[in-house]
Structure formats: C-alpha cells, structure tokens
C-alpha cells in the first residue's frame, strides 16, 4: 500500500521570511504536489528570546501571498510542550540523557579544534564532561533548570538516503556530539521538538535546507531512541547571494514583504530564482 505523502512547512517566527525560505518551501510544496499529498504548517515558536507574535502573523500572510496551501489548522510548537516533555521522560527513563551544567563557553574551549559546517553545527561535546554511563540520574523535576543532553553512541555510523543529495553518513562522537534535548530555561531543543513532531504528525518526508543535514543525524538518533521509524528527507540546496553567502534574515531587501511592496509577484520570483527543471516533477 502506498502511504499518503505528508510534508510540512516549518518556519520560525523570529524574523520576516525571505526568498531563501520561499525557495525551500517551494521545494516542499512541489514535492507534496507531485506526490498528490498534503502539507502541514508548523509554527516553530519555541525560541522565547527571538520569538515575536507579529512575526507569526507576517509569516502566515507571506506564505498565503506566495500561494502556499496547507492543511489547517497551523500547528504551533508552543502548544505541544506536553508531547515533548513526554518524550523527554522516556529518554530519561531509558537512561539516555544526562544533566549538563557546563556553559557554552566551557564546551567551546574544551572542544578545541574549530568546527566547520552548516548553521546547525556545534562543537563536539567533550566526552570528559560526561557523567559515567552508570551514574544514577537525578530526577527531571517539574520545572527544569539545567540543560539535558543525549549521550550519543560514539563511533556508530548513522546513514540515510537523501532524496536530493544521495547517501549520507555521519559518525556519532566524531561528526556530532552529545546534543541538547532540553534547555535550562525549561524549553525543549529544536532537535527534540522536531523529531517528536515529525513522528507524531506522521510526516512522510521532511523537506528543508541543506544546512540542516547534520541535524538530521541527531534527529535519526532520537527517532531510534524513541522507537519511531524516520520519515524520508530531502535537503534543498541553499540560496546564496551574489557574494556566495547564504541568505540570512538580515537580508531585508530580500524579505518577501519587501519584494511584494515593490510589486514583484510570486510568479516572477519562481521564474527568476527557482530551478527551472524542478517544477516538472521532483526526483
Ligand atoms: N524552524 C526550523 C528552521 O526554520 C525548521 C527546520 C526544519 O524544517 O526542521 O530552521
């Protein structure tokens, strides 16, 4: 039996959407359309510091203007905290996580070698900072005030077939280290929330930017730890500016609303900036 394709658009309301977002979402929409499936809209609003309510409204407005269609209602991560907490409790019960009181600076200093890679890259957590694997875990407590990390299985290779980039492999402990699953301000990490949502919302294919390939390995580890089978993945090529730099939110000139105010239409954007051959059908 063919499973019904279910994809998602997962913008973060921390700024205005720009051309790069539209391009990634367009890949997602085209893949869903070609497969005769549906798209969900997930509002990744867990970043309490950078979150702004007006960005949520702007994001929805910009997506509609562009012509994206999704199955209502929009799903906000802030409303799904209980789900993330339940997953955290399972990881805790399985003794797969540990509390970490090191600062980011401690980690960067001890990790030594500078790291390179995509935007989701972070230094490898120094193994000497880990508590012994058999140390009894303190309880999570109702309100969490310490960072919790998952212990990655050092030396183990994680593989997946990317629908765009082909076969991908990363080795735990070498390419990614013990990563945050919950923050000391009592919010779930992006990795945990994203894995829980993609599993529980029955997403069959995740389409997102190629800067998140390393996150995919982390999320694959979470899928396994939580006993879920992972979706497929399609990492879309990132859009770069004329200097070869990634488009970031600070490129306000390329914000969708700026383009709209200038009278640029979505069709012009598609014709001018998005790959020609893709619309004929992905993959
Ligand atoms: N909100 C995340 C981002 O914009 C979503 C990434 C994903 O699609 O998993 O980077």
């Amino acid at each position: 039996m063919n499973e019904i394709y279910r994809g998602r658009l997962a913008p973060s309301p921390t700024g205005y959407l720009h051309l790069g977002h539209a391009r990634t979402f367009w890949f997602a929409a085209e893949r869903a359309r070609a497969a005769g499936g549906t798209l969900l809209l997930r509002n990744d609003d867990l970043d309490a510091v950078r979150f702004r309510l007006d960005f949520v409204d702007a994001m929805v407005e910009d997506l509609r203007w562009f012509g994206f269609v999704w199955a209502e209602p929009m799903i906000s991560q802030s409303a799904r905290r209980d789900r993330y907490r339940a997953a955290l409790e399972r990881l805790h019960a399985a003794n797969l996580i540990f509390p970490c009181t090191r600062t980011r600076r401690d980690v960067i200093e001890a990790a030594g070698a500078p790291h390179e890679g995509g935007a989701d890259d972070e230094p490898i957590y120094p193994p000497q900072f880990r508590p012994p694997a058999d140390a009894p875990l303190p309880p999570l407590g109702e309100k969490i005030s310490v960072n919790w990390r998952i212990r990655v299985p050092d030396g183990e290779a994680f593989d997946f077939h990317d629908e765009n980039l082909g076969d991908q492999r990363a080795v735990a402990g070498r390419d990614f280290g013990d990563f945050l699953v919950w923050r000391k301000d009592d919010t779930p990490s992006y990795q945990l929330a994203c894995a829980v949502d993609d599993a529980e919302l029955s997403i069959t294919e995740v389409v997102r930017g190629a800067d998140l390939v390393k996150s995919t390995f982390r999320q694959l580890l979470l899928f396994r730890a939580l006993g879920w089978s992972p979706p497929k993945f399609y990492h879309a090529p990132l859009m770069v500016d004329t200097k070869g730099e990634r488009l970031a939110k600070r490129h306000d000139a390329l914000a969708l609303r700026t383009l709209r105010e200038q009278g640029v239409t979505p069709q012009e954007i598609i014709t001018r900036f998005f790959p020609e051959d893709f619309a004929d059908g992905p993959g």
Side-chain angles (χ1 to χ4, degrees), residues 8-14 17 21 24-25 42-45 77 190 194 198 206-209 211-212 215-216 219 246 249:
R8 84 293 197 281
L9 309 177
S12 301
T14 54
L17 297 183
H21 294 110
T24 301
F25 296 152
R42 190 181 82 198
N43 170 23
D44 282 6
D45 59 350
Q77 289 195 318
Y190 155 69
C194 186
D198 287 332
V206 167
V207 179
R208 60 185 167 204
D211 56 325
L212 289 170
S215 283
T216 296
Q219 291 166 26
R246 260 190 77 195
K249 284 178 191 155

Side-chain angles (χ1 to χ4, degrees), residues 114-253:
H115 56 288
E116 39 188 77
D120 67 339
D121 221 0
E122 52 173 276
I124 305 291
Y125 190 75
Q128 68 270 26
F129 285 179
R130 282 173 170 167
D134 53 3
L137 278 187
L140 287 169
E142 203 163 312
K143 178 153 176 26
I144 292 179
S145 54
V146 63
N147 287 325
W148 284 84
R149 291 179 182 270
I150 187 163
R151 186 187 297 267
V152 304
D154 285 340
E156 194 187 320
F158 285 74
D159 297 287
F160 71 96
H161 177 77
D162 189 281
E163 304 298 317
N164 181 39
L165 305 172
D167 290 340
Q168 303 290 311
R169 162 171 285 209
V171 176
R174 185 193 76 187
D175 301 319
F176 64 101
D178 300 347
F179 59 89
L180 282 178
V181 288
W182 208 272
R183 298 176 191 284
K184 62 180 186 214
D185 65 357
D186 203 14
T187 53
S189 72
Y190 155 69
Q191 308 294 350
L192 181 66
C194 186
V196 169
D197 287 343
D198 287 332
E200 293 189 352
L201 303 174
S202 308
I203 298 303
T204 60
E205 183 178 80
V206 167
V207 179
R208 60 185 167 204
D211 56 325
L212 289 170
V213 169
K214 208 169 263 188
S215 283
T216 296
F217 292 109
R218 299 186 181 105
Q219 291 166 26
L220 286 173
L221 172 62
L222 287 171
F223 272 96
R224 187 177 73 183
L226 292 161
W228 294 322
S229 45
K232 291 182 173 169
F233 294 93
Y234 181 105
H235 289 90
L238 296 180
M239 203 169 166
V240 291
D241 64 17
T242 46
K243 293 196 202 103
E245 282 170 15
R246 260 190 77 195
L247 289 194
K249 284 178 191 155
R250 61 179 183 279
H251 287 69
D252 282 344

